[in-house]
């Protein structure tokens, strides 16, 4: 089986070993995600170095207080396949909410302007996220990464034409809402991710996460949907290839 980890945070000092381990575990492509200007540039550098790695460029809501300067020129780089991760995080509020809103709105605009996918981070801000997307115009390729909602939230994502990306949270004991959402989501609207080095799935919870663990996410999705793991691998790989327009 072949998997695409469509959302990870590769770090320069561990990238080589994590890419090698992921490749050995059947990961064909890695989307490494920028959270600010520095990590966006690091992601691009790794994508230039490794043919199976692609990058995003954007500003996470935690970093919104530092603004978007320098991000737009990165979007024309041939190894950049998406804007983000961008969005709202009202759990930590590390940037003021009006600032989060302005920076998120600007990145929605960039995704639309450059016809790039938008990678959304939303935490405890579903209503605000949907309202802003509706106001600014949902990009034609939008994904809610590390989906943490339930069946009602996933229905609203699907109504807007978005995909949802499932992380290791789906394997956690207390994640019944996420499993209910997976059950309600057609396979052609799902992708899988690790969000590594965070959120290692069971049975590795508590350890440093890595792209090699994405199969645990896909296998749990397959159990929930009552299909073979290879069906989930094939579907989510095709979805990611189309979504990010990977060669």
């Amino acid at each position: 089986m072949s998997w695409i980890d469509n959302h990870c945070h590769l770090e320069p000092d561990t990238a080589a070993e994590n890419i090698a381990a992921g490749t050995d575990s059947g990961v064909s492509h890695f989307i490494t995600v920028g959270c600010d200007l520095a990590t966006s540039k690091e992601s691009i550098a790794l994508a230039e170095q490794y043919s199976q790695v692609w990058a995003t460029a954007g500003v996470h809501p935690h970093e919104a207080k530092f603004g978007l300067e320098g991000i737009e020129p990165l979007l024309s780089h041939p190894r950049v396949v998406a804007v983000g991760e961008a969005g709202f995080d009202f759990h930590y509020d590390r940037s003021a909410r009006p600032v989060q809103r302005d920076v998120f709105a600007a990145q929605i605009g960039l995704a639309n302007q450059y016809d790039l996918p938008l990678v959304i981070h939303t935490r405890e801000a579903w209503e605000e996220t949907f309202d802003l997307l509706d106001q600014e115009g949902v990009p034609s390729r939008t994904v809610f990464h590390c989906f943490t909602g339930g069946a009602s939230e996933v229905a609203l994502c699907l109504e807007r034409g978005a995909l949802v990306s499932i992380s290791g949270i789906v394997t956690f004991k207390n994640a019944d809402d996420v499993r209910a959402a997976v059950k309600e989501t057609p396979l052609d609207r799902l992708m899988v991710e690790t969000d590594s080095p965070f959120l290692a799935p069971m049975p590795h919870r508590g350890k440093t996460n890595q792209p090699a663990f994405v199969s645990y996410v896909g296998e749990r999705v397959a159990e929930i949907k009552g299909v073979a793991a290879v069906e989930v691998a094939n579907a989510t790989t095709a979805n990611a290839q189309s979504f990010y327009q990977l060669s």
Side-chain angles (χ1 to χ4, degrees):
M1 287 184 290
S2 178
W3 302 92
I4 291 179
D5 185 353
N6 99 101
H7 192 112
C8 58
H9 299 275
L10 295 173
E11 298 170 330
D13 57 342
T14 56
E17 62 187 85
N18 283 332
I19 292 167
T23 301
D24 288 345
S25 298
V27 181
S28 63
H29 295 79
F30 308 74
I31 310 297
T32 187
V33 174
C35 291
D36 57 16
L37 182 59
T39 56
S40 296
K41 288 181 175 180
E42 286 179 355
S43 295
I44 292 169
L46 289 171
E48 290 175 331
Q49 185 175 357
Y50 298 97
S51 62
Q52 65 270 58
V53 176
W54 301 83
T56 79
V59 175
H60 190 287
H62 290 344
E63 314 304 325
K65 59 192 171 188
F66 300 113
L68 270 176
E69 185 176 355
I71 293 294
E72 185 173 357
L74 303 180
L75 301 180
S76 299
H77 193 284
R79 302 298 293 178
V80 170
V81 293
V83 176
E85 60 185 283
F88 287 123
D89 194 309
F90 291 173
H91 182 77
Y92 288 108
D93 280 325
R94 290 180 183 167
S95 293
R97 292 184 181 185
V99 175
Q100 290 188 45
R101 186 186 188 283
D102 289 346
V103 171
F104 185 18
Q107 290 180 93
I108 297 170
L110 288 173
N112 281 319
Q113 178 183 344
Y114 286 88
D115 191 26
L116 284 169
L118 176 68
V119 180
I120 293 177
H121 169 110
T122 185
R123 188 168 185 187
E124 299 178 14
W126 286 106
E127 182 177 352
E128 293 84 357
T129 298
F130 292 133
D131 285 349
L132 189 60
L133 283 168
D134 292 344
Q135 178 179 324
E136 300 294 327
V138 184
S140 59
R141 290 175 287 155
T142 295
V143 62
F144 286 82
H145 111 87
C146 192
F147 182 83
T148 56
S152 58
E153 289 81 11
V154 86
L156 294 170
C157 294
L158 297 175
E159 281 179 14
R160 289 163 174 80
L163 276 71
V164 293
S165 181
I166 305 301
S167 71
I169 290 174
V170 76
T171 70
F172 297 176
K173 279 186 179 178
N174 62 351
D176 289 339
D177 282 354
V178 174
R179 287 186 283 273
V182 168
K183 194 171 184 179
E184 295 299 318
T185 305
L187 265 181
D188 65 0
R189 304 290 286 280
L190 285 172
M191 292 191 287
V192 290
E193 66 173 84
T194 58
D195 201 18
S196 58
F198 317 105
L199 299 173
M202 296 294 290
H204 298 288
R205 192 172 183 187
K207 299 179 182 178
T208 301
N209 202 4
Q210 58 177 299
F213 295 163
V214 75
S215 61
Y216 293 98
V217 179
E219 288 163 4
R220 189 68 179 97
V221 168
E223 290 175 10
I224 293 164
K225 299 194 77 64
V227 300
V230 68
E231 187 174 346
V232 173
N234 290 342
T236 57
T237 294
N239 295 342
Q241 287 173 328
S242 175
F243 184 84
Y244 294 108
Q245 296 184 351
L246 303 180
S247 58

